[in-house]
């Protein structure tokens, strides 16, 4: 079996699909738990679990001004609810969950792309 890496193919946010820039270094956290181990005085240990949200960072997507893509993304960021989101990896594998745009949403007119991150309170699940 070969392992396939490469740029994310696309992301669908609230029903609208965006092509992801080929040079975007996207990082994905599925959500769930992060663990830490704390020692006890008798040499045993305790596992401390911290819940973490799902996240997609480093997104850079193609923007079509005639389609209102920038305004659409801003409306998602302005909203108060997580929206259905599906990210499709280079090998065609999709992961879905509910997410919202977090941090700065920035549009580059020179490159016709927007950069942003997303987070969700649940997990991203392989479809």
């Amino acid at each position: 079996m070969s392992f396939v890496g490469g740029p994310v193919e696309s992301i669908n946010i609230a029903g609208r699909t965006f092509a992801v820039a080929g040079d975007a270094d996207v990082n994905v956290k599925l959500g769930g738990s992060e663990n830490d181990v704390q020692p006890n005085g008798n040499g045993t240990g305790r596992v401390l679990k911290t819940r973490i949200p799902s996240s997609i960072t480093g997104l850079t997507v193609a923007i079509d001004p005639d389609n209102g893509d920038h305004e659409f993304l801003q409306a998602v960021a302005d909203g108060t609810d997580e929206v259905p989101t599906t990210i499709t990896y280079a090998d065609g594998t999709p992961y879905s969950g509910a997410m919202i745009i977090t941090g700065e949403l920035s549009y580059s007119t020179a490159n016709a792309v927007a950069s942003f991150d997303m987070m969700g309170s649940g997990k991203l699940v392989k479809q």
Side-chain angles (χ1 to χ4, degrees):
M1 175 180 166
S2 64
F3 299 94
V4 177
V8 168
E9 176 187 294
S10 63
I11 186 163
N12 183 290
I13 301 169
R16 189 177 294 200
T17 300
F18 294 88
V20 177
D23 61 349
D25 184 13
V26 178
N27 292 288
V28 178
K29 286 187 179 181
L30 298 179
S33 297
E34 288 182 344
N35 301 316
D36 189 21
V37 176
Q38 295 290 317
N40 296 321
N42 65 357
T44 62
R46 303 177 314 280
V47 175
L48 305 177
K49 298 184 96 41
T50 302
R51 297 299 257 167
I52 60 162
S54 56
S55 67
I56 304 170
T57 58
L59 281 166
T60 303
V61 301
I63 295 295
D64 179 356
D66 292 336
N67 196 35
D69 288 345
H70 189 199
E71 293 82 0
F72 175 84
L73 292 172
Q74 187 61 56
V76 171
D78 290 344
T80 57
D81 294 323
E82 296 172 352
V83 297
T85 304
T86 300
I87 186 168
T88 303
Y89 291 177
D91 68 354
T93 303
Y95 284 82
S96 296
M99 306 186 93
I100 193 164
I101 293 173
T102 57
E104 180 180 353
L105 169 63
S106 178
Y107 173 56
S108 168
T109 59
N111 296 310
V113 295
S115 299
F116 57 96
D117 298 330
M118 299 189 80
M119 294 181 84
S121 56
K123 288 186 173 187
L124 285 173
V125 179
K126 185 176 178 180
Q127 300 301 302

